[in-house]
Amino acid sequence: MATSSSQYAGPWTAPKVRQQFIDFFKERGHTFVPSSSTIPYEDPTLLFANAGMNQYKSIFLGTVDPNSDFAKLKRAANSQKCIRAGGKHNDLEDVGKDSYHHTFFEMLGNWSFGDYFKKDAIRWAWELLTEVYKLPKDRLYVTYFEGDPKLGLEPDEEARQLWLEVGVPEDHILTGNAKDNFWGGRNAAHLVNQDDPNVLEIWNNVFIQFNREDDGSLKPLPAKHVDTGMGFERLVSVLQDKRSNYDTDVFTPIFTKISEMTGARPYSGKFGKEDEGEIDTAYRVVADHVRTLVFALSDGGVPNKDGRGYVLRRILRRGARYARKKFGVPIGSFFSTLMPVVIEQLGGFFPELTKKTADIKEILDEEELSFSRTLDRGEKLFEVYASRAKESGLKELNGADVWKLYDTFGFPVDLTRLMAEELDLGINESEFDAAQKKSKDASKASLKTGAKDAVKLDVHDIAALEANDAVPKTDDNPKFVENNITATVKAIYHAKQFLTSTTEVPESEIPPSFGILLDRTSFYAEAGGQEYDTGTITIADSAEFEVENVQSFSGYVLHIGQLKFGDIQVGDSVVASYDNSRRRPIRNNHTGTHILNFALREVLGDHVDQKGSLVAANKLRFDFSHKAGVTNEELKKIDAICRDWIQRDVKVYGQDMDLAAARKIPGLRAVFGETYPDPVRVVSLEYSLAEISLDIDNPKWRDTSIEFCGGTHVASTGVIRDLVITEEGGIAKGIRRIIAVTGDEAQEVTRSADALAARLAYVSRLSGSEKDTGLKSLSADLNNADISLLRKTALKDDLGRVRKAFDQETRALQQAAQTKAVDDLKQYFSENPNSSLYVAEIEVDGNVKTMQSIAGEVKKLGKSAYLFSVDRSAGKVAHMNVLASGILPSTFNAKVWANDIATVLGGKAGGKDDSAQGVGLEVGKIQEAIQIAKSTFENKIRPT
């Protein structure tokens, strides 16, 4: 097999390999199903989609919506986008070190859902590999399940025989786990499943025929399925005769672009000590990681500090460090510059890659730039800590230093570990854990004292500033147009005093909060319902102030927070950078608020006035005047107008205008009673303020949204992606409140609504007590669900109809069962008039009320009875007795009788002397209990 960095020119290019697989199975009756998202929003058990079968779980589990396309699927084929990083399946740390590990890969697969089984799956697999792809038969090995005596499973001789029938030599058919199908280059039977690099697994054919029960046993399924998965990158390496996935045209275009960007030597496919300077390792890491990032971000993933977001952040930071350290290039827009080659390669088959390129670039650059600053500081401090350990003859870094790198300087712990490993150093874990605990305890203490220690300027502070010509009012115009601006520190404020240096702020175990005034800022100070920005104020590598709050006092914008490290002095030049990952959803929500305001006026009337608002990162809240509740039909119209504005993707304009002139604009929205500055900032949709100013009295301006607003907004409405109203209600007489979400939050609530709809479809197909329990649980969850108000109303209506039909059906069944049980009872005594006892198992699903009614009929007849009924869904037995009056001996009563039965069935029993009942757990012993009920009565009771 060859290793080469040159472009592949043979017959099996990567796109052709993929398409041939799809075409092969389409010709055999399979439906092509596009890959599901790498972000499995509907499956909280997964960080990322990591296997081809993930999207078919509902089919395998029988929970698929019967009205969906998936319910009709019998055969399917596709190439699934997979990410294995973080969680149970985590290949991140191995990427770059060998020839085959990836965090992103494609999984080619074909599926049968209760259709064909082993014979066709094996026949087609062999045909595709040997007749279509023309792999040499003598280099292919297969395995079949070797059996498991502990589970009572025999070897899969059926599969073995089928492999023989298609032509696989007997010495190439090996026992092993059902997932092991291997390819090799010679008679390699002794190497299969031994992690030998010359033996490569390419295809798993999984035959699903058992379900593992709660007790661990395996029960045959009513329908058998096929689930196969073939690693696309591995298959390409085989067909292109390459030893490594990275030597194929899946990666060579990316390597070529990396070489162009960095000036590095061409990729040569070396590993370990042969890879001088780890250049080839860096090629592999960067190429793999850019693929993962582009796919994950195109599917809605966002790097952040939690869950899958943190995994994506780790991937970006790992790749960025390799780029800077091994290729020697600056980072800040490295991945976004590399991104187009990935989209060009794969955007045809995965068109979703082409939809949000601007958003992906913004997120990548923002994360990378932030990390570049972190890396600058962290690497220098790491070198200090590492040198100190080496000089002291230690094999471990001080754990407190490692925690400080993370907590104070934002340097990822996993990156510290990697850098330490490169120097043959470990980390003192006990010291690290102790430092982490101390920091968290201090953080909790600071929360308790936060309210009374809030940093704010009072009237005396403002007067002192206005008397000081050296401290001008803050120019905050940059907040509308740019981030990462250079500014000058004009004042430092702590404990009612203006200081000249942060060194004057007293040190304490709980880091003190204080304020910084700049001559200009890109931060948004809380105002007009919009929440403040957070971010950092930094001096290169020497100081960082973490901004946790921003407030404006008479034009002085105070940045409130804590000093992370270093020293800042009045007069210092700093870089002010707001957190765009927080600002972005706030922008969405603010423009969304304007769109909602417009829609409310259009649907409810001109009397609608804004009475308050909140624009936060996770939602928008809008209070408005309206005497009646908003009807469902009105909500539908409001929703349609909002969606139309977003789908049309019109531009959003903002500029200052003369206040008197601006008030003349037809349809202008402003908050009643609010005092506005002159000039005033005006925000409009679709039409620019320049155009509006030229014809200010034109009535057509009423057909768009125009508002006085000093907040931050998106560039165009399409950026919002969606707006979903989740709540509407009254908060005071004549005042209504709407809460809505946009962007990622809107997509999340939509997914939640879809999941509830699928649940309702599933529960609707159940029966008996299982359906009753499912409907009750769904009703509770639906009431508490944070989803579209329109969807919630529709789902509640659907649920109500299902509940009503079920209750009617249940009552009819109960009445029929009760009638039959009473008829059986009367028939028994009609046929046995001298009998004083009736013992029977009745089919009423353990319904106690029904059993009590039947017991009442027994009393009317002056007889005695013991009734049993099994609730199979609960795995319990309800039992009840009644004794005719006048036959109770002093040593026996209904309670004693019931307790005798409880010793057989388990559970508890109780009641009165003439009637008792209980619930048992031993369903299988019901016949034994019936016999004991009869014999006990016969032995204890002597009818008078």
Side-chain angles (χ1 to χ4, degrees), residues 508-722:
S508 64
E509 188 167 321
I510 301 173
S513 292
F514 59 95
I516 292 179
L517 292 172
L518 306 174
D519 62 336
R520 58 197 298 265
T521 186
S522 55
F523 282 81
Y524 184 87
E526 184 172 344
Q530 179 174 327
E531 288 189 344
Y532 52 80
D533 283 335
T534 60
T536 59
I537 295 172
T538 58
I539 303 176
D541 302 330
S542 61
E544 179 178 309
F545 178 79
E546 183 176 8
V547 180
E548 299 172 339
N549 195 340
V550 186
Q551 299 292 326
S552 181
F553 302 92
S554 296
Y556 297 99
V557 176
L558 189 67
H559 306 79
I560 303 161
Q562 298 173 343
L563 188 69
K564 300 295 285 185
F565 66 92
D567 172 35
I568 297 176
Q569 300 184 24
V570 171
D572 281 344
S573 177
V574 295
V575 175
S577 307
Y578 60 75
D579 180 357
N580 204 26
S581 64
R582 174 177 163 83
R583 169 79 78 87
R584 188 186 306 110
I586 288 176
R587 283 196 298 253
N588 287 345
N589 286 334
H590 207 147
T591 305
T593 301
H594 284 216
I595 291 172
L596 177 62
N597 192 1
F598 174 85
L600 288 169
R601 183 186 67 183
E602 291 296 293
V603 174
L604 302 180
D606 286 338
H607 66 277
V608 169
D609 277 321
Q610 179 177 337
K611 294 298 181 181
S613 69
L614 170 70
V615 179
N618 63 336
K619 66 181 179 182
L620 66 90
R621 188 180 71 212
F622 190 75
D623 301 340
F624 58 98
S625 56
H626 188 59
K627 292 182 179 179
V630 182
T631 67
N632 206 54
E633 288 305 309
E634 288 170 335
L635 274 174
K636 288 179 181 178
K637 292 176 183 177
I638 293 164
D639 181 77
I641 290 172
C642 291
R643 289 179 184 275
D644 179 65
W645 274 111
I646 293 168
Q647 289 166 3
R648 288 197 290 124
D649 193 24
V650 303
K651 289 193 70 175
V652 180
Y653 299 90
Q655 73 176 53
D656 287 348
M657 287 186 68
D658 175 77
L659 180 60
R663 288 191 183 279
K664 297 177 182 178
I665 301 173
L668 176 87
R669 307 295 284 172
V671 179
F672 180 77
E674 183 83 8
T675 301
Y676 290 98
D678 191 5
V680 63
R681 187 169 179 81
V682 181
V683 173
S684 63
L685 304 186
E686 192 169 12
Y687 303 105
S688 71
L689 275 306
E691 182 181 357
I692 292 170
S693 297
L694 292 174
D695 189 10
I696 207 160
D697 297 316
N698 194 325
K700 80 172 185 178
W701 309 138
R702 198 194 178 289
D703 297 329
T704 190
S705 166
I706 305 173
E707 294 195 29
F708 289 164
C709 180
T712 60
H713 290 269
V714 297
S716 64
T717 57
V719 174
I720 299 171
R721 301 205 303 279
D722 199 2

Side-chain angles (χ1 to χ4, degrees), residues 138-342:
D138 65 336
R139 299 175 73 184
L140 287 167
Y141 291 77
V142 301
T143 65
Y144 67 95
F145 182 54
E146 62 191 6
D148 190 331
K150 292 179 181 177
L151 295 174
L153 293 174
E154 297 294 326
D156 191 356
E157 290 295 337
E158 179 189 4
R160 179 178 180 276
Q161 188 59 39
L162 289 169
W163 284 119
L164 285 170
E165 289 175 8
V166 299
V168 181
E170 190 162 359
D171 65 346
H172 283 218
I173 304 175
L174 312 171
T175 59
N177 187 283
K179 68 182 181 180
D180 294 327
N181 293 82
F182 287 83
W183 175 91
R186 57 186 183 281
N187 193 311
H190 66 291
L191 298 176
V192 171
N193 217 14
Q194 301 300 316
D195 291 328
D196 189 285
N198 295 309
V199 181
L200 189 67
E201 173 190 341
I202 57 170
W203 205 347
N204 289 332
N205 278 248
V206 180
F207 306 123
I208 303 173
Q209 60 190 102
F210 297 103
N211 183 60
R212 189 175 296 281
E213 302 295 302
D214 291 339
D215 61 3
S217 63
L218 295 175
K219 184 179 180 181
L221 292 168
K224 297 175 181 179
H225 313 291
V226 172
D227 167 16
T228 85
M230 177 153 57
F232 169 68
E233 291 81 4
R234 289 189 179 185
L235 177 62
V236 172
S237 74
V238 171
L239 292 173
Q240 294 184 4
D241 197 28
K242 304 290 187 182
R243 280 193 174 276
S244 166
N245 298 350
Y246 291 100
D247 293 330
T248 69
D249 65 345
V250 173
F251 288 95
T252 50
I254 305 176
F255 290 164
T256 299
K257 182 64 176 179
I258 292 172
S259 183
E260 289 175 7
M261 290 168 57
T262 64
R265 62 159 174 79
Y267 178 73
S268 61
K270 291 185 171 59
F271 298 89
K273 293 180 180 178
E274 293 183 5
D275 180 19
E276 188 175 346
E278 295 189 293
I279 297 300
D280 287 340
T281 300
Y283 267 112
R284 290 186 290 269
V285 167
V286 169
D288 170 87
H289 290 7
V290 72
R291 282 162 39 99
T292 302
L293 291 166
V294 172
F295 272 97
L297 270 58
S298 71
D299 285 335
V302 179
N304 56 41
K305 62 181 181 178
D306 300 308
R308 65 171 63 100
Y310 184 62
V311 175
L312 293 176
R313 177 169 283 175
R314 285 178 61 199
I315 290 170
L316 183 143
R317 290 179 168 187
R318 185 173 187 261
R321 179 175 178 268
Y322 268 98
R324 191 166 90 164
K325 187 171 180 64
K326 307 302 179 182
F327 291 133
V329 294
I331 56 175
S333 60
F334 182 81
F335 277 118
S336 67
T337 306
L338 191 54
M339 174 180 70
V341 71
V342 177

Side-chain angles (χ1 to χ4, degrees), residues 809-869:
E809 179 186 357
T810 300
R811 283 194 294 271
L813 290 171
Q814 287 174 348
Q815 186 58 50
Q818 181 175 331
T819 300
K820 182 181 183 304
V822 171
D823 289 346
D824 290 346
L825 166 72
K826 290 179 177 178
Q827 183 178 350
Y828 174 81
F829 284 118
S830 174
E831 295 173 355
N832 302 277
N834 296 323
S835 176
S836 58
L837 175 67
Y838 179 67
V839 180
E841 179 184 354
I842 56 177
E843 297 293 333
V844 295
D845 290 328
N847 188 290
V848 174
K849 287 185 178 180
T850 303
M851 295 175 73
Q852 286 172 339
S853 296
I854 298 167
E857 293 294 327
V858 174
K859 272 195 169 185
K860 290 178 184 177
L861 296 172
K863 303 288 186 178
S864 301
Y866 213 120
L867 306 175
F868 298 85
S869 183

Side-chain angles (χ1 to χ4, degrees), residues 75-120:
R75 301 179 180 186
N78 77 352
S79 184
Q80 171 66 43
K81 305 175 293 187
C82 298
I83 293 176
R84 287 190 179 173
K88 180 180 177 182
H89 300 288
N90 182 13
D91 290 342
L92 178 57
E93 301 306 326
D94 294 317
V95 171
K97 297 177 182 178
D98 56 34
S99 63
Y100 56 89
H101 272 107
H102 308 291
T103 55
F104 173 84
F105 60 94
E106 294 180 52
M107 185 64 77
L108 301 170
N110 60 288
W111 289 267
S112 165
F113 307 110
D115 190 11
Y116 64 85
F117 200 46
K118 295 179 186 178
K119 183 176 180 180
D120 286 332

Side-chain angles (χ1 to χ4, degrees), residues 382 397 402 405 411-421 427:
F382 174 83
L397 290 177
V402 175
L405 270 173
F411 203 68
V413 176
D414 56 308
L415 193 52
T416 303
R417 292 186 194 281
L418 175 64
M419 293 166 63
E421 286 173 10
I427 291 173

